[in-house]
Amino acid sequence: MTTAGSVRAEGDHGDRGGLRTALAGLTTRGRSFLAAGAAAAVCAYVLGQSDLLRVGLLLAVLPLVCAGVLCRTRYRVAGSRRLSPSRVPAGSEARVHLRMDNVSRVPTGLLMLQDRVPYVLGPRPRFVLDRVEAGGRREVSYRVRSDVRGRYPLGPLQLRLSDPFGMCELTRAFSTYDTLTVIPRVEPLPPVRLGGEAKGHGDGRQRSLALAGEDDLIPRGYRYGDDLRRVHWRSTARYGELMVRREEQPRRARCSVLLDTRAIAYAGAGPDSAFEWAVSGAASVLTHMQERGFSVRLLTDTGASVPGEGSDGFAGASQGSAVTAGLMMDTLAVVDHSDGAGLSRAYDVVRGGSEGLLVAFLGDLDEEQAAVLARMRQRSGGAVAFLLDSGTWMREPADVPGPLDGGGERSRMLREAGWTVVGVPRGASMEEQWRLADRKRSGLAAASGGEGTG
């Protein structure tokens, strides 16, 4: 939820510039009255009709008087905007609250309020405020909705002042605006057992600690302030100095999500395209893994990563995790196709060491990129690839008889390298594909005689 700072719009003080502005703000009705009055005055002069001249003068003077009174209006109005929420998933609605405060000592006349919004969010909202008393307040609200992710500016707020006869309108624009962030859709994913958690502090780690005996502990020298209850007496007798047990600080399980953004890897565009499915899937996996206690990181084919809390770029479990998660969602909200042709830059990021679980959302692959991914698998504890092949994706869901096996030479190369490959058909649910990856991973672990956890 964000709040825009209040701003004020004051009426002009009756100078020449203000009068010219007021005359330029004459409405169609005001201009018609002025033209009719001038025509009546000319006809009265030609025909010598004094009564018609008085009528013409009345018609011509009325809009001029309204413009003069309106331009000398001295009341001040403050406006503010509040978004609830300021970050919303695609396809969901957000409500925008507008508040107008009359901070002058005189009541206002008729006010017409208009907020500028991009056409993607819907029609431009307009409101009519009849009369705001001195020190009074009016609040209105409207809803916005977008099926397309992105960052959209709201504002500036425009206020139209009008006289009671509708002869003249003046527009006052406020200077502040807000930004609505539309993030990708996030599907809730079920907990499954994928490779990579054994390196963290999951069940496998806890079982190994429970099986370790007292002799397996590595003591250290006593330091001032250490709890005496942690003194390891056997080591103390062996080394002849006071020794204490080390505090166990298990590493958190890690998960890297690789998003392939190459323009040449995807076909089609729009909310239902393969690329948008990949972005939504990456957001769902990042959210799911972070909720399960993993340290997560977002990578793209360009080698760019969203920095986490630690020096290694992973988001850990601290008070800033929510901020880091929001940063990742904001990044995915505006991510677009890249001009790159390969995944070598992403490989350079992960080749420094084992990165735990690697989940990749990939478009079309050639043999060279499949070889890069095969090498990338060697640097991870477990690897799952969701493959969005253009030929498969462009087919209708009814044309796909069942779950795809991710067939093809490129998929075979990935499977031989140890990847769990899931071919994603058009219109598939991320939850279903997540479960399918779990079943495939379980079958691979059973075939190799091992067991992966995740």
Side-chain angles (χ1 to χ4, degrees), residues 255 284-294 296 357 434:
C255 176
S284 302
V285 172
L286 285 170
T287 302
H288 173 73
M289 301 307 285
Q290 190 169 35
E291 289 176 352
R292 297 195 59 198
F294 278 68
V296 297
L357 177 63
W434 189 247

Side-chain angles (χ1 to χ4, degrees), residues 4-21:
S6 297
V7 293
R8 297 180 177 181
E10 297 187 9
D12 295 311
H13 290 241
D15 54 6
R16 293 182 179 179
L19 184 58
R20 285 196 298 268
T21 302

Side-chain angles (χ1 to χ4, degrees), residues 400-406 423 425 433 436 439-440:
V400 182
L404 298 179
D405 190 29
Q433 302 304 301
L436 179 58
R439 293 195 297 268
K440 288 190 174 185

Side-chain angles (χ1 to χ4, degrees), residues 103-135:
V103 296
S104 63
R105 298 181 179 180
V106 295
T108 69
L110 186 66
L111 302 179
M112 288 176 286
L113 195 63
Q114 177 178 280
D115 205 6
R116 297 185 62 181
V117 300
Y119 73 95
V120 177
L121 300 181
R124 181 170 296 182
R126 296 181 175 87
F127 305 93
V128 177
L129 306 181
D130 188 10
R131 180 179 180 273
V132 183
E133 63 278 6

